[in-house]
Amino acid sequence: MSDRRTAILEAAATVIARRGVRGLRVEELAAEAGVSKALIYYHFEDRTGLLRRTLAFVNNRAERYTAEQSAAEAAADAEATPGSGATPGPLRRLEQALLLELQDLPHVRENSTAWGELRASAVFDPELRGELALASVIWVREVADQLGEVRPTAPESALTASAERLTALLEGLSARWLSGILPLTDARTRMREAIGVEVTHLARHAAGPAAYDTPTGPGQA
């Protein structure tokens, strides 16, 4: 991707996070990116094309900063216990990956706000739905794979269902935090609690139907 195209997409994410999708104007976008309006039209044929590419850019940027920060935290853990060679366990890696989306950092705020705006816009713009659906499927698959590392014997269908619930909850908690409804500490606590519930649920799936049986009377196991 060219530097100017990247600059336009970065600027689009910034403007959308600041004013919403409806507030995105080519004039402001050009000024934010430091390019001409003609260059924007050269790289993106129309508004829908720009929005689709911005959605993909925001999603890729989220994957990049979560991966980078997860690696940095793993390195910090290793430094804290020199010579151990220890790395975070699968449950901790899962928590880190999801909680990185709930941080009071400028780039996280901007990315999460832009994602929420683009997701809401897809309700009224069918052409955005395909890009959004693809990004969501990939995200759910990644979380399901991480859950599978925590509970290797859990059925694939159960892992996917848990991943769908966790990603949906994360989007909702992020929206409530960004809109000032829910304090960040509470949002992170609710996310940790939900991860614990899902991991326990998957353990029961892995154990089979008997794990769901409950005693019905005194002395019954």
Side-chain angles (χ1 to χ4, degrees):
M1 188 182 296
S2 71
D3 291 343
R4 288 188 174 181
R5 185 181 174 88
T6 299
I8 293 169
L9 291 172
E10 288 176 343
T14 298
V15 175
I16 289 171
R18 183 189 304 149
R19 301 194 184 281
V21 171
R22 291 186 179 183
L24 181 63
R25 299 288 181 269
V26 175
E27 294 79 5
E28 184 176 0
L29 175 57
E32 184 73 32
V35 301
S36 66
K37 292 190 293 183
L39 189 63
I40 293 174
Y41 289 118
Y42 171 77
H43 284 291
F44 309 95
E45 293 183 1
D46 53 26
R47 179 183 175 85
T48 298
L50 173 62
L51 291 177
R52 288 179 60 207
R53 297 283 74 80
T54 302
L55 193 152
F57 173 80
V58 166
N59 182 58
N60 291 337
R61 187 167 66 174
E63 291 179 355
R64 188 167 62 252
Y65 70 65
T66 52
E68 289 172 352
Q69 191 156 342
S70 291
E73 291 184 0
D77 287 341
E79 288 183 7
T81 53
S84 69
T87 57
L91 179 56
R92 185 172 177 190
R93 288 198 298 270
L94 172 63
E95 289 181 343
Q96 286 176 340
L98 294 174
L99 291 173
L100 286 176
E101 295 291 345
L102 295 170
Q103 299 182 94
D104 196 6
L105 298 174
H107 65 282
V108 175
R109 275 184 169 272
E110 179 179 287
N111 224 59
S112 296
T113 303
W115 174 264
E117 286 291 331
L118 288 162
R119 187 181 68 244
S121 183
V123 174
F124 307 100
D125 188 346
E127 294 191 35
L128 278 179
R129 293 176 193 167
E131 197 77 39
L132 180 66
L134 177 60
S136 297
V137 166
I138 292 172
W139 187 23
V140 167
R141 180 68 266 159
E142 290 172 348
V143 175
D145 288 344
Q146 290 178 307
L147 285 164
E149 293 178 6
V150 180
R151 295 295 184 216
T153 57
E156 186 65 29
S157 59
L159 292 171
T160 300
S162 288
E164 287 175 342
R165 286 190 290 269
L166 288 175
T167 53
L169 176 64
L170 180 53
E171 286 182 328
L173 290 173
S174 178
R176 290 195 171 197
W177 160 54
L178 290 168
S179 59
I181 298 173
L182 188 67
L184 179 59
T185 52
D186 289 357
R188 291 174 65 87
T189 297
R190 300 294 173 269
M191 196 69 235
R192 284 195 184 93
E193 291 170 346
I195 293 169
V197 168
E198 292 296 341
V199 167
T200 300
H201 178 67
L202 289 171
R204 292 175 178 170
H205 265 289
Y212 290 91
D213 292 341
T214 56
T216 56
Q220 292 183 328

